[in-house]
Amino acid sequence: MKKYVVAIVGATGAVGTQMLTCLEEQQFPVGALKLLASPRSAGKVVSTPWGEVTVEAAAPEAFDGVDIVLGAAEDDVAKALYPEAVRRGAVVVDNSHAFRLDEDVPLVIPEINAADALTHKGIIANPNCATIIGLVPTWPLHQLAGVKRMIVSTYQAASGAGVPGMRELEEQIGCMGRGEEIPAPAAFAAQLASNLIPQIGGEKYQGFTSEEMKMQNEGRKIMHLPDLRVNCTCVRVPVLRSHSESVTLEFERDITLEQAREVLASAPGVKLVDNLAAESAHDRWPMPLDTTDQDLIWVGRVRRDISNPDALRGITFWCCGDQIRKGAATNAVQIAKLLCE
């Protein structure tokens, strides 16, 4: 099997570190590995399954000889460096927002539109974490009955803000437990411990935030549904890791609950956990604690949308998935594997 020179940009962050783990777990054919990060991380030595690797500063010349770049850096870094990586012969799988809606950049969830990855012109975009977690279970239902409208509320963990967000939540919880004063927030707009923050991202459109509009705009592109209508509310919750979502779907055709559960139970990337009568809470419905550090999107609370006047065309469900893994790193490595295949 051919082996590839792989570079991870943002290698010392939460997603970059997880990408390294996912490469090993998915037995990616790595021939050589480059870890790239900001100048302040350059020189750090990281032990990997492919030997000890010294972190280099992310710069154009660092992409010489690289086949595949996994990007876990911010938008400004992505825009500055990834076109240069392409010019030097690499294919980039980018986790930032920088290129997601560009017309000539595929936006890919392998369980949904794997073929789009092969139309790339050097850059493939990884969708937003909440988009991935919501669409993986929506797609098989769409194939069955044709989704035309989504109402979504997301309950997004501190991990969405990376290592600083997780550390801040842990520090706040620790201070509360010790009866100490909680420091002023830095990673979030307000204290997250014992609180909810009903805004993620800046205002984008008619009172909706940038994070909320991603579910519609990215969903339309990924599922090839230009007329898909989405109403989304995104909330930051005091959970360390793993996002949760409440999703209500309106369909073009009738769909029974039995059909919905059957298709979800067999869908790629999905685990159905839906039994209110189960003895253990862990078998009743998905929870962030159970879905952390694994790659499936767990789905439960599958039921009718009783507010839909056409009752046979509405389904509501609850889902949870690890934001750092399937919501970011795992999906990126899955895309890279498509290129190898």
Side-chain angles (χ1 to χ4, degrees), residues 29-180:
V30 176
L33 181 68
K34 301 188 79 172
L35 301 181
L36 309 178
S38 64
R40 67 177 177 273
S41 296
K44 179 181 178 181
V45 178
V46 178
S47 294
T48 80
W50 303 277
E52 291 193 339
V53 179
T54 301
V55 176
E56 303 174 43
E61 57 271 18
F63 298 111
D64 287 339
V66 172
D67 298 310
I68 296 174
V69 175
L70 299 177
E74 297 299 323
D75 290 10
D76 56 344
V77 174
K79 290 177 180 178
L81 288 181
Y82 298 162
E84 182 60 35
V86 172
R87 281 191 286 271
R88 293 171 186 248
V91 178
V92 179
V93 182
D94 176 32
N95 195 60
S96 80
H97 315 114
F99 305 102
R100 287 179 184 159
L101 298 182
D102 285 12
E103 188 174 338
D104 59 349
V105 175
L107 183 65
V108 176
I109 300 174
E111 291 86 350
I112 299 176
N113 63 329
D116 287 359
L118 304 183
T119 67
H120 72 83
K121 296 180 180 179
I123 298 176
I124 304 170
N126 211 35
N128 181 52
C129 50
T131 300
I132 294 173
I133 291 165
L135 292 192
V136 167
T138 293
W139 177 248
L141 297 172
H142 164 68
Q143 291 181 297
L144 184 65
V147 66
K148 63 180 184 179
R149 180 172 177 241
M150 303 177 67
I151 300 174
V152 183
S153 293
T154 72
Y155 306 81
Q156 297 183 216
S159 56
V163 172
M166 291 187 285
R167 285 177 177 167
E168 183 162 292
L169 177 58
E170 289 179 315
E171 181 182 9
Q172 290 175 357
I173 292 172
C175 288
M176 292 177 67
R178 296 187 296 269
E180 299 172 358

Side-chain angles (χ1 to χ4, degrees), residues 163-222:
V163 172
M166 291 187 285
R167 285 177 177 167
E168 183 162 292
L169 177 58
E170 289 179 315
E171 181 182 9
Q172 290 175 357
I173 292 172
C175 288
M176 292 177 67
R178 296 187 296 269
E180 299 172 358
E181 183 179 353
I182 296 176
F188 304 109
Q191 175 184 317
L192 186 56
S194 294
N195 196 22
L196 300 175
I197 302 175
Q199 178 181 348
I200 303 176
E203 185 173 355
K204 182 73 172 179
Y205 174 77
Q206 294 188 1
F208 288 85
T209 69
S210 55
E211 186 79 0
E212 290 161 348
M213 294 307 299
K214 290 172 188 174
M215 186 70 72
Q216 172 176 282
N217 297 336
E218 295 182 14
R220 288 176 171 179
K221 184 173 180 178
I222 294 162

Side-chain angles (χ1 to χ4, degrees), residues 303-316:
R303 58 202 190 277
R304 280 269 166 239
D305 172 15
I306 59 174
S307 73
N308 191 325
D310 194 342
L312 291 177
R313 298 195 176 183
I315 293 287
T316 293

